[in-house]
Amino acid sequence: MTPLARSLTCALVVVAAAAIGSSLVTVDATEYAALVRFGRIARVIGEPGLHLKAPYPFEQVIRLDRRLLTFKPTSAEYLSGDKKNLVIQGLVSWRIASPERFLSAVGDRESAERRLNDIVLARLGAVLGHYPSTAFMSIGPPRTEFDALVGRVTDQARDLAGRLYGIEVVDIRIRQIGLPDQNRANVFARMQAERGKIATQYRSEGEREFKKIVAGADRERTQIMAEARREAERITAEGDAQAMRIYAEAFGKNPQFYKFSRTLTAYDKILDANTMVFLPADADVFRVLDGARPPVGGR
Amino acid sequence: MSATDQPLEPIRPVPAPPRRTWSAWGAAAVLALAAGAAYLGSSIFTVGADEQAVVRRFGRVTARLGPGIHYRLPWPVDQVDVVKTTAVMKTGVGFDLAPGEGPAGGMEIVTGDTNILNVAIVVQYVVGNPASFLFDAERPQALIGSLAECALTETVVGMPVDDLLTSGRLAVQQRVKDQTQAILDRYGTGVRLTSVNIMSITLDASVAQAFQDVANAAADREKKINEARTYANNVLPKARGEARSSVLAAQSYKEQRVAEAIGNSTRFEELLTEYAKAPEVTRTRLYLEAMERILPRVKKYVIDSSQGQAPVNLRLMPPSP
C-alpha cells in the first residue's frame, strides 16, 4: 500500500463512520425528534428509540420536549365585574401537541411561554370582567362559578394555542389570588374591626349564657322546692286523713261514750290553775252529796 | 509512559534506532483492555432496597428493575435512572424547604371573607411509578408544590377565616391533598401524595393582636359558662336535698300522726270494752277520776243551783250558823 492509498483509506473510513453515525438518531422518552431537511421539517419521530435518518448534511435533528411543562404567567391585576381589583397569579401546564406547527409557529420554549402568557392574561382579563369578585371569594355554598370561570379561560386558551401554536394547554389553574397593595391597609383595618366585633360578641355571649344557666338553675331549684312542698302537703294531708279515718272508725262505735271521755280529756287540758270554775251544787260531782247525808269535811 | 519506554536513552552515546513502535503497540493494547474492562464493568449496577431503576435503551423505556444487582448494556445503548420509591419526599409550599430551616412566612392567601393570611404547607409524597415520574413531566417536585398551592388557594377562597383557623384546618389539608392528587393523576406524574400538612398560619402584625383577643374572648366565654355550670351544679343538688328532707319530714309527720291515731283509738276501744261491761260504773268512775285530776288545781265556786241564790261555801263547809 502506498502512503497515499493508506491515507485515502483512512479518510474513507472516517467519512463512512461519520455518515453511519449521523444517520442514526436516538430519541429519548422525554422528547420528540424533528428531522429538518434543508430547513424544512421532513418528519417528526415521536416514538422513543433508535431511528434511522439521512446522514448529516441532508437531515438535521431538532429535539423538542414532549413532557408536561409548567410555567407561571406573570401576576397581573384584574378588574372583576363588580369593579374590584384582584391580583391573580396562575399556573399553566402545557405540552407540545404538534411539533411541526410548534416549530414553524413558535420555535422554542421561551417564545412559547411568552405567547401563552399573553393569551392567558388576555383571556383571564376578558372572562373575569363578566364575573363578580364573589365568584372567586365567597363563603357561601361551593362555588361552581369559580370552576366555570377557570374552565372558560382554559377552553379559550386551549383552543387558541392549539390552533395557532401546536400547543396543548392541559390546564390553567389559579395559584394565588391577592389584593392590590393599596387595598391591603383597608383590609387589615376591616379585619381588625371584625375581630373586635367577634370578641365583643363572644364576651356578651358568655355573659348571656352565664345568666341563662344561672337563671335556669334558680328556676329549677324553685320548681324542685315547690314540688317538694306540694308533695309534703299531700303527705301531711294524707296522714291527717288517715288518722281521721282511724279515729272516726274507732269513735263511731260509740259516739256518746267518745264524747263523754273526750270531753273529760279536754277538761283536763283546758282547766288549769288559773281557771275559775263555778260549779252548781247539783253538778254530777256533787250529785251524790245532794241526798241523804250532809257533806263531810274536806273537799 | 515515556520513562519506561526509553529508560537508557540519555546514557547511550549513540542514539539507537527507536524501538518505540512495539512497546507503544503493547501499551495501547493494555490500555484498550483496561478501558474495555472498565467499560464492561460500568454496566453492572446495584439498586438499593428502597429504590427502583428504570432502564432506557436508546431512549426508550425498556425495563423497570427492583432492588438487586443488575446488568445493562453499556453506554450509549442503555441508560439507567435510579429513583427512591419507598422513601417519603417533601416539598414545601410558600417557603423553601431547606434542611434544618423552619417554615418562614408562607404564601399569602385571601379567604372567602377577604382576610389576608400567610400559610405554609408541606407536601409529602412517594414515587409510585418511576417511569412516569422521570419522563412524563418536567420537574415533578416543583409541579407538586405549584399544584398544592393552587389547591390551597381554591379551597381557601371558599371558606371563612375562622374555619381555617379552627375547625376547618384538617378539612383543608384533606381537600388540598385530594385535589392535588386528582390533578397529578390526571397529568400522569406517577406521584402518590402521603400527606399535606399546614405547618403554620401567620397573620399580619397589625391584626395579630385582634385575632389573639378573639381567642381570649372565646376562652372568657367558656370560663363564664363553666362558672355558671358550677353554680348550677352546686345549687341544684342542694335544692334536691332540701326537697327530699322536707318530703321526708312530711312522711314522718304522717307516720307519727297515724301511729298516734292508732294508739288513741286502740286506747278508746279498750276503754269502750270496759265501758260496755259496766257502762254506768265506768262512766261515773271516769268522770270522777277526771274531776279528781282537774278540780284540785282550779279555783272553784260551787253554786247551789236548786236555790239559785247564795254561793255555796267555797270549802264545801256546812253553811255558817
Side-chain angles (χ1 to χ4, degrees), chain B residues 22-279:
Chain B
W22 288 117
S23 59
W25 280 116
V30 168
L31 266 178
L33 268 177
Y39 180 64
L40 291 173
S42 76
S43 58
I44 293 171
F45 64 99
T46 55
V47 177
D50 57 344
E51 297 172 330
Q52 293 212 334
V54 179
V55 180
R56 279 179 290 174
R57 178 161 298 168
F58 293 119
R60 191 153 54 91
V61 178
T62 50
R64 177 172 160 182
L65 303 171
I69 294 181
H70 300 282
Y71 179 78
R72 59 161 180 170
L73 292 177
W75 185 89
V77 179
D78 281 358
Q79 247 178 305
V80 174
D81 293 278
V82 177
V83 179
K84 285 195 187 302
T85 49
T86 53
V88 174
M89 297 197 255
K90 283 186 189 182
T91 180
V93 176
F95 62 97
D96 292 326
L97 199 69
E101 206 178 290
M107 65 175 273
E108 187 170 290
I109 52 160
V110 180
T111 60
D113 49 358
T114 328
N115 278 240
I116 298 173
L117 305 169
N118 281 287
V119 178
I121 63 179
V122 168
V123 181
Q124 299 195 326
Y125 64 93
V126 293
V127 176
N129 181 344
S132 297
F133 182 75
L134 287 167
F135 309 126
D136 287 352
E138 179 202 37
R139 296 195 297 133
Q141 172 127 351
L143 178 63
I144 294 166
S146 296
L147 290 177
E149 204 177 342
C150 294
L152 180 65
T153 295
E154 285 169 27
T155 305
V156 165
V157 293
M159 66 192 299
V161 64
D162 292 292
D163 278 13
L164 180 61
L165 288 174
T166 55
S167 54
R169 197 162 161 153
L170 287 177
V172 169
Q173 292 177 176
Q174 189 60 42
R175 225 185 122 192
V176 169
K177 186 185 161 197
D178 293 347
Q179 221 166 331
T180 311
Q181 182 70 62
I183 301 165
L184 286 169
D185 288 348
R186 192 149 60 76
Y187 291 179
T189 49
V191 170
R192 207 177 70 246
L193 299 186
T194 54
S195 76
V196 169
N197 279 310
I198 295 177
M199 298 305 285
S200 70
I201 299 178
T202 45
L203 292 147
D204 190 86
S206 63
V207 294
Q209 179 63 40
F211 274 82
Q212 185 54 46
D213 191 46
V214 168
N216 292 346
D220 286 353
R221 180 178 62 179
E222 290 314 302
K223 207 175 109 199
K224 208 74 184 143
I225 291 172
N226 282 339
E227 257 172 47
R229 293 222 173 97
T230 310
Y231 171 80
N233 289 342
N234 191 20
V235 154
L236 291 179
K238 221 154 88 184
R240 287 197 190 94
E242 274 173 40
R244 200 161 33 245
S245 74
S246 80
V247 169
L248 285 178
Q251 251 153 11
S252 77
Y253 166 84
K254 173 185 165 184
E255 275 156 24
Q256 195 191 332
R257 193 93 168 90
V258 170
E260 202 179 271
I262 291 171
N264 284 344
S265 56
T266 309
R267 201 164 68 85
F268 175 78
E269 274 163 356
E270 267 158 23
L271 224 52
L272 194 61
T273 321
E274 290 310 306
Y275 174 73
K277 286 178 191 157

Side-chain angles (χ1 to χ4, degrees), chain A residues 3 98 137:
Chain A
S98 157
M137 286 176 217

Side-chain angles (χ1 to χ4, degrees), chain A residues 28-29 93 109 171 175-176 184 190 205 218 238 240 247 253 268 271 277-282, chain B residues 56 59-60 108 114 138 153 162 186-187 221 231 253-254 257 264 269 297 299 301-303 305:
Chain A
D28 194 66
S93 29
R109 185 165 170 184
D171 218 355
R175 204 156 49 80
Q176 217 167 332
R184 292 167 64 88
R190 205 209 60 237
E205 252 173 39
D218 284 346
E238 210 174 78
D240 287 345
Y247 281 132
K253 287 175 183 162
D268 204 0
L271 305 175
V277 179
F278 294 89
L279 289 170
D282 60 349
Chain B
R56 279 179 290 174
R60 191 153 54 91
E108 187 170 290
T114 328
E138 179 202 37
T153 295
D162 292 292
R186 192 149 60 76
Y187 291 179
R221 180 178 62 179
Y231 171 80
Y253 166 84
K254 173 185 165 184
R257 193 93 168 90
N264 284 344
E269 274 163 356
R297 64 172 182 257
K299 297 178 188 133
Y301 301 93
V302 180
I303 303 157
S305 60

Side-chain angles (χ1 to χ4, degrees), chain A residues 11-155:
Chain A
L12 261 176
V13 165
V14 166
V15 168
I20 292 169
S22 74
S23 62
L24 286 174
V25 57
T26 318
V27 180
D28 194 66
T30 61
E31 62 192 13
Y32 297 110
L35 300 183
V36 179
R37 189 175 297 163
F38 303 121
R40 211 168 49 79
I41 299 166
R43 64 194 175 106
V44 172
I45 304 170
E47 193 64 23
L50 193 61
H51 296 273
L52 281 173
K53 71 173 185 64
Y56 166 64
F58 306 104
E59 274 186 351
Q60 273 171 294
V61 180
I62 297 177
R63 295 170 188 278
L64 292 172
D65 210 323
R66 69 183 291 162
R67 294 176 296 179
L68 181 80
L69 306 171
T70 44
F71 95 101
K72 299 172 180 174
T74 47
S75 80
E77 200 171 314
Y78 301 92
L79 202 60
S80 67
D82 53 352
K83 305 283 174 265
K84 294 242 170 68
N85 289 9
L86 297 171
V87 178
I88 292 181
Q89 299 175 44
L91 179 76
V92 179
S93 29
W94 60 287
R95 57 166 64 99
I96 297 168
S98 157
E100 294 91 343
R101 183 163 305 147
F102 183 82
L103 273 178
S104 59
V106 185
D108 60 4
R109 185 165 170 184
E110 277 91 279
S111 56
E113 290 186 348
R114 221 165 31 241
R115 283 167 213 217
L116 277 174
N117 197 34
D118 292 346
I119 292 178
V120 169
L121 294 195
R123 292 296 98 206
L124 205 53
V127 171
L128 203 64
H130 292 113
Y131 287 87
S133 62
T134 52
F136 278 100
M137 286 176 217
S138 70
I139 52 174
R143 301 140 305 121
T144 48
E145 275 187 319
F146 185 93
D147 296 334
L149 188 154
V150 177
R152 254 176 90 177
V153 174
T154 310
D155 289 346

